[in-house]
Amino acid sequence: MTATGKIELMAPAGNFESLQAALDNGCDSVYFGVEQLNMRARASVNFTIDDLPEIANRCQQKNVRTYLTLNTIIYDHDLSIVKTLLNKAKEANITAVIASDQAVIMAARTIGLEVHISTQLNVTNIETVKFYAMFADTIVLSRELSLRQVKKITELIEKEQIKGPSGNPVEIEIFGHGALCMAVSGKCYLSLHSHNSSANRGACKQNCRKKYTVIDQESGFEIEIDNEYMMSPKDLCTIDFLDQVIDSGIKVLKLEGRGRAPEYVATVTKTYRDAIDSYYDGTFSKEKITQWMSDLETVYNRGFWSGYYLGQKLGEWSKDSGSNATQKKVYVGKGVHFFPKANIGEFKIEAYDIKKGDKILITGPSTGAQEMVIDEMYVNDEVSEKAGRGDSCTFKLPFRIRLSDKLYKIVEA
């Protein structure tokens, strides 16, 4: 729970672009992986140990909490790396570590680093909450629970005054938006069997996101599973019943997406920030939900469903192998200069044309993900309606850009 009394909005950060996008769009906390010992080891670029002070510094400036994900299966040869990483996180003033392995939990507790229990531990009842409350201040519940079950747990925490090591009542966190896995709380072994690449070590090959043919081994008869990717669930979306989610008593809402682009992080974070604020100021409405859903559909998604929260069974399958986003970005060029007094950015056009009136996206490690519409532009210092490959293009910006920031235009998918 934040200082304002609102639930905490936790955003994903797979790199500095996404981190800045999360910070610019109203998150209360961020979670991120370092090196290889996290569940998105191959899905995102990931930070290095040396990045920890910069991550902490950027977040502290905006009073945003920082959570290091160290939630994979840990082997003996990993233990020295784990201890080094936790010590560096402690030195950098990282807020907490999200863990699932008891070795990580105990190593963090030994040095006084706050622990959050990962969904990988599949916590589904109050007795398990009591057990982990001996070590952790926040517990991420299993993704397979209904809101009724979640509310029962939060009510019992309050009734029985179940406290974590900090002396405060244990906080419950749940997933609010993003990719879902067909396996219980992500514990999947398909990738390990097929490619010797363990999802539980952050190296999932995403077998479930592919199309399959079923073969009768006696007759050889083949059936192609038409229209649906039968192991690939639609993405979780709770925006249309976020009032019920908040009423369940949770303290932290987590947005999935460390492998996603910075504009995804920006859009999803901003949308849920607006929705949470609307709930607390009494303006949460069907009209706003319609707009929020439209905004979420513009970035990567496999279609949306409500997960298990409303008592549904798994069965909302994706009909496409990739994204159903209504918009996509097309690379145009890169930033070469910024004139601070005039707030003008200069770009080298390297690929597709852009023109006056285009909606554009600019991304960079310090810039994050910024969208705007070009109202007026200059090509080679002359007013122009269009800029093409090889041109030097300038236009006014409401934010600062940096050398080599990437320029895209947003088009209908």
Side-chain angles (χ1 to χ4, degrees):
M1 185 71 75
T2 64
T4 61
K6 299 178 182 180
I7 64 166
E8 177 182 319
L9 179 62
M10 186 196 302
N15 50 41
F16 276 114
E17 286 91 338
S18 294
L19 173 65
Q20 194 60 46
L23 294 174
D24 290 341
N25 286 280
C27 68
D28 298 304
S29 58
V30 295
Y31 66 105
F32 57 91
V34 170
E35 311 291 357
Q36 295 301 305
L37 295 179
N38 71 90
M39 294 299 288
R40 292 294 182 273
R42 290 191 182 177
S44 61
V45 176
N46 286 306
F47 297 97
T48 67
I49 289 179
D50 293 336
D51 292 328
L52 288 171
E54 173 69 11
I55 294 168
N57 182 54
R58 286 200 201 186
C59 292
Q60 284 167 4
Q61 288 178 17
K62 292 206 171 188
N63 198 29
V64 168
R65 290 163 64 85
T66 48
Y67 306 137
L68 168 66
T69 59
L70 220 170
N71 55 346
T72 61
I73 291 172
I74 300 296
Y75 296 121
D76 281 319
H77 67 263
D78 298 319
L79 293 176
S80 62
I81 300 172
V82 166
K83 291 176 181 177
T84 298
L85 184 50
L86 291 174
N87 282 322
K88 291 291 185 180
K90 177 74 173 176
E91 289 174 17
N93 290 318
I94 298 301
T95 308
V97 60
I98 302 172
S100 63
D101 192 292
Q102 283 73 21
V104 179
I105 294 169
M106 293 311 298
R109 292 295 306 133
T110 299
I111 62 172
L113 183 61
E114 183 178 323
V115 173
H116 293 186
I117 297 299
S118 169
T119 192
Q120 298 298 119
L121 281 174
N122 198 32
V123 176
T124 58
N125 61 75
I126 192 63
E127 293 302 323
T128 307
V129 168
K130 289 178 183 177
F131 175 79
Y132 285 115
M134 293 188 289
F135 315 101
D137 289 293
T138 301
I139 296 174
V140 190
L141 295 183
S142 166
R143 283 177 272 190
E144 289 71 39
L145 294 180
S146 68
L147 286 181
R148 183 179 297 178
Q149 291 171 308
V150 172
K151 187 166 186 172
K152 180 71 172 176
I153 289 172
T154 61
E155 287 175 343
L156 287 170
I157 289 173
E158 184 175 357
K159 180 181 178 181
E160 300 184 24
Q161 282 296 291
I162 301 169
K163 298 180 179 179
S166 67
N168 298 316
V170 170
E171 294 193 338
I172 291 299
E173 173 188 324
I174 64 172
F175 280 80
H177 189 92
L180 282 175
C181 178
M182 65 166 187
V184 174
S185 287
K187 285 291 181 88
C188 182
Y189 298 91
L190 277 178
S191 184
L192 180 63
H193 291 319
S194 64
H195 295 87
N196 194 32
S197 186
S198 175
N200 302 303
R201 292 276 287 177
C204 180
K205 293 289 188 180
Q206 295 205 320
N207 304 51
C208 60
R209 307 301 185 187
K210 300 175 182 177
K211 204 161 191 174
Y212 288 90
T213 299
V214 178
I215 302 175
D216 182 337
Q217 293 193 355
E218 288 186 7
S219 66
F221 180 71
E222 294 187 8
I223 301 174
E224 182 177 327
I225 300 174
D226 193 24
N227 297 325
E228 290 184 334
Y229 287 70
M230 287 298 291
M231 294 187 290
S232 181
K234 290 181 179 180
D235 286 359
L236 172 66
C237 179
T238 62
I239 204 86
D240 55 335
F241 58 98
L242 190 65
D243 51 345
Q244 296 179 58
V245 171
I246 297 174
D247 288 342
S248 72
I250 63 147
K251 304 300 183 187
V252 186
L253 188 72
K254 185 174 191 172
L255 307 176
E256 191 275 338
R258 279 185 291 141
R260 298 278 178 255
E263 65 271 17
Y264 172 94
V265 176
T267 298
V268 175
T269 304
K270 181 179 186 300
T271 304
Y272 276 86
R273 175 77 277 153
D274 289 346
I276 290 170
D277 291 347
S278 292
Y279 170 87
Y280 286 100
D281 66 24
T283 61
F284 191 87
S285 66
K286 289 182 179 179
E287 292 74 22
K288 285 191 172 184
I289 289 170
T290 300
Q291 183 59 55
W292 292 328
M293 288 296 293
S294 180
D295 293 340
L296 293 172
E297 287 169 354
T298 65
V299 291
Y300 192 102
N301 70 86
R302 297 185 178 92
F304 296 127
W305 76 301
S306 57
Y308 299 92
Y309 291 137
L310 301 180
Q312 292 177 300
K313 63 181 181 180
L314 183 61
E316 293 282 336
W317 305 109
S318 174
K319 296 184 182 297
D320 301 287
S321 60
S323 176
N324 291 330
T326 58
Q327 296 181 353
K328 67 178 181 179
K329 63 182 180 183
V330 177
Y331 179 72
V332 172
K334 65 182 179 183
V336 293
H337 194 71
F338 181 72
F339 301 91
K341 289 186 178 179
N343 288 325
I344 288 174
E346 180 182 354
F347 297 87
K348 181 73 172 178
I349 307 302
E350 297 180 328
Y352 288 92
D353 297 348
I354 57 169
K355 62 182 184 300
K356 180 181 175 181
D358 276 348
K359 183 179 181 181
I360 61 169
L361 166 71
I362 301 170
T363 67
S366 297
T367 305
Q370 304 283 353
E371 292 186 9
M372 60 169 282
V373 174
I374 300 175
D375 293 326
E376 183 181 45
M377 64 190 300
Y378 290 78
V379 174
N380 301 323
D381 296 326
E382 293 186 358
V383 177
S384 177
E385 295 288 313
K386 182 179 179 181
R389 189 173 182 178
D391 286 339
S392 175
C393 171
T394 58
F395 46 85
K396 202 168 184 65
L397 295 167
F399 49 85
R400 180 184 182 88
I401 64 159
R402 285 84 179 172
L403 185 66
S404 295
D405 276 4
K406 293 178 181 177
L407 170 65
Y408 302 88
K409 66 177 177 180
I410 303 297
V411 299
E412 300 254 336

